[in-house]
Amino acid sequence: MLDWLKGRVDVSTLLFIGSIKGLIYVFVTGLVLYKLILNYNTKLDESEKQYRSYFEAHPSPMWIYNKRTLNYTAVNNSAIAKYGYTREEFMNMTILDIRPKSEVSKVYTVIKELPEGYNDSGIWTHRKKDGTLIQVHITSHTITSLKEPHIMAMATEVDQRQVTV
């Protein structure tokens, strides 16, 4: 293919041209990969923002806690409004801190036996910051995409549920 160049151009020039061609290929490929990664990260950021806005705006109290330590890792605005704790207070608490002492051992048992996926944990008593006790129905879902197992839970106050016929 390059036979006509033989004798006209020395080998070092051909090697130099080949190297330049290779560098251009690497540069263009790197640029394309950079744009693809940037696009993916942008979509990932948008997806995370959308999830956070759904979580934060949900009308029911919701939280995420570490299944091993029971520490809250996220709470939504409805939980803050309903329970009276600030976000910072929640982040320094465990799920046991809103439970009466009589339910603590039951909490450990239920969490230990909690299967993967969606769970209907039933009716529990929770204590608000002002000491008021409320009855709530808890549904939850395990989250396995984090480094440690977490649980996302939603509370519905029992006396606020409406029965439809």
Side-chain angles (χ1 to χ4, degrees):
M1 182 168 168
L2 297 177
D3 289 339
W4 63 274
L5 277 177
K6 285 185 182 176
R8 295 181 185 156
V9 180
D10 65 8
V11 174
S12 63
T13 303
L14 289 176
L15 288 174
F16 177 73
I17 291 170
S19 296
I20 295 297
K21 192 170 112 179
L23 285 173
I24 291 170
Y25 176 78
V26 168
F27 175 76
V28 170
T29 303
L31 191 59
V32 169
L33 286 173
Y34 172 76
K35 288 295 281 178
L36 288 172
I37 291 169
L38 187 63
N39 187 34
Y40 175 77
N41 283 340
T42 301
K43 287 182 179 181
L44 190 61
D45 288 344
E46 289 170 4
S47 176
E48 182 181 355
K49 285 177 187 173
Q50 186 177 26
Y51 154 77
R52 287 195 182 280
S53 69
Y54 292 156
F55 178 77
E56 287 298 332
H58 198 282
S60 294
M62 294 175 67
W63 49 82
I64 300 172
Y65 65 92
N66 183 303
K67 188 175 178 181
R68 185 180 53 80
T69 66
L70 306 182
N71 289 326
Y72 290 103
T73 57
V75 294
N76 72 354
N77 292 330
S78 184
I80 292 166
K82 182 70 173 176
Y83 287 82
Y85 297 100
T86 65
R87 190 173 311 277
E88 293 75 27
E89 287 173 319
F90 266 117
M91 294 303 107
N92 290 309
M93 296 167 55
T94 71
I95 63 166
L96 300 176
D97 293 325
I98 64 168
R99 309 293 171 106
K101 295 205 185 299
S102 61
E103 288 187 355
V104 169
S105 63
K106 181 181 172 188
V107 170
Y108 281 118
T109 302
V110 168
I111 290 174
K112 182 179 178 183
E113 297 172 0
L114 205 59
E116 295 292 313
Y118 171 81
N119 291 285
D120 183 339
S121 300
I123 297 177
W124 292 82
T125 303
H126 283 182
R127 182 179 29 258
K128 295 164 62 170
K129 185 175 181 176
D130 68 6
T132 305
L133 296 177
I134 57 174
Q135 297 293 305
V136 293
H137 181 256
I138 299 292
T139 53
S140 64
H141 197 280
T142 52
I143 302 173
T144 57
S145 61
L146 302 173
K147 289 181 182 179
E148 290 202 36
H150 282 67
I151 297 175
M152 176 183 276
M154 181 178 76
T156 306
E157 195 167 353
V158 174
D159 60 347
Q160 289 184 350
R161 294 190 330 186
Q162 295 181 354
V163 178
T164 57
V165 181

